[in-house]
Amino acid sequence: MSDMGNAGAERQSPRPDQPIVAFDFDGTLTIRDSFTEFLRWRVGPGGWALGLVKLAPALAAYARDRDRGRIKAASVREFLHGVDRHTLEVEAARFADQVWPRFMRPDALKVWNDWGRRGAHRVIVTASPVATVAPFAKRLGAEALLGTEFVFDAQDRITGDFAGPNCRGAEKVRRLKAAYGDTMTLAAAYGDTSGDAEMLAMAQEAGFRVFREKP
């Protein structure tokens, strides 16, 4: 089973005695939402402005229902529909390389690396698409990545749909248990929004908005 997107890294299974530590990605390991920044970077200022105009009805609906999954799907259809998998992988890797120095929280990276030295199984659990977070996870040396999954058509192009629910809130817990078993426990978990509450609640050590440093 691969949970590192299409970056070529397979999810490692933790040893029975190995602590599992979960990190949210956007706002926790990074200073802002990575998927929004990726889309903005990919299409440029003009394309971004035009896309937001076209997304006006979806943005108005979001203001009413606060459905993050629905607005994310609308953004994918507007900015990524028809993009082939290889192109997406190349662009996601370029984006990660370019923004890394100004994007990653130094204090979060220290804790991430400390858990690595302690031999923990570190899993990123994110609402952002696996395909765009995968280059970051690979560079971090993450043992696993769980997130929202794109659907690709027979020609390996993005359809604009997701393979399952937006990986947020209770879905984060469901995905963790699907990966590690219903009786799994988290030695620690870190997050920064209400979408991380359920994941933090199942951890022996919960860190909510504990990372504040900027590059």
Side-chain angles (χ1 to χ4, degrees), residues 102-114:
R102 63 179 187 275
F103 212 61
M104 309 303 291
R105 291 192 183 277
D107 52 351
L109 294 180
K110 289 177 184 177
V111 173
W112 174 273
N113 291 329
D114 181 58

Side-chain angles (χ1 to χ4, degrees), residues 94-125:
R94 283 176 50 212
F95 171 73
D97 286 342
Q98 289 185 23
V99 304
W100 182 280
R102 63 179 187 275
F103 212 61
M104 309 303 291
R105 291 192 183 277
D107 52 351
L109 294 180
K110 289 177 184 177
V111 173
W112 174 273
N113 291 329
D114 181 58
W115 277 112
R117 286 189 292 269
R118 293 159 66 180
H121 177 98
R122 298 161 300 176
V123 53
I124 295 172
V125 190

Side-chain angles (χ1 to χ4, degrees), residues 165-203:
N166 191 33
C167 189
R168 185 179 189 276
E171 181 64 15
K172 288 196 173 189
V173 173
R174 192 196 70 78
R175 294 290 302 278
L176 283 164
K177 290 185 175 181
Y180 302 110
D182 288 338
T183 61
M184 65 90 62
T185 60
L186 291 176
Y190 302 92
D192 73 309
T193 71
S194 60
D196 302 310
E198 290 88 344
M199 181 175 75
L200 295 175
M202 67 184 292

Side-chain angles (χ1 to χ4, degrees), residues 5-139:
N6 302 301
E10 294 295 316
R11 178 176 66 83
Q12 302 175 26
S13 297
R15 302 184 308 272
D17 62 339
Q18 189 176 19
I20 301 173
V21 181
F23 285 76
D24 169 57
F25 188 66
D26 299 304
T28 300
L29 286 165
T30 72
I31 60 172
R32 61 176 65 93
D33 184 81
S34 64
F35 187 49
T36 300
E37 291 302 307
F38 171 72
L39 294 178
R40 191 196 307 266
W41 170 86
R42 184 178 185 275
V43 300
W48 180 250
L50 179 60
L52 290 182
V53 171
K54 294 180 179 179
L55 281 172
L59 291 168
Y62 175 70
R64 294 191 301 271
D65 60 30
R66 312 306 291 180
D67 188 328
R68 294 171 183 263
R70 184 177 299 172
I71 188 64
K72 185 182 298 179
S75 298
V76 171
R77 287 190 291 271
E78 176 59 36
F79 293 110
L80 292 176
H81 181 265
V83 175
D84 68 87
R85 191 190 301 267
H86 176 70
T87 297
L88 179 66
E89 290 176 1
V90 170
E91 292 179 344
R94 283 176 50 212
F95 171 73
D97 286 342
Q98 289 185 23
V99 304
W100 182 280
R102 63 179 187 275
F103 212 61
M104 309 303 291
R105 291 192 183 277
D107 52 351
L109 294 180
K110 289 177 184 177
V111 173
W112 174 273
N113 291 329
D114 181 58
W115 277 112
R117 286 189 292 269
R118 293 159 66 180
H121 177 98
R122 298 161 300 176
V123 53
I124 295 172
V125 190
T126 177
S128 283
V130 165
T132 58
V133 177
F136 292 95
K138 185 175 181 179
R139 184 163 174 170

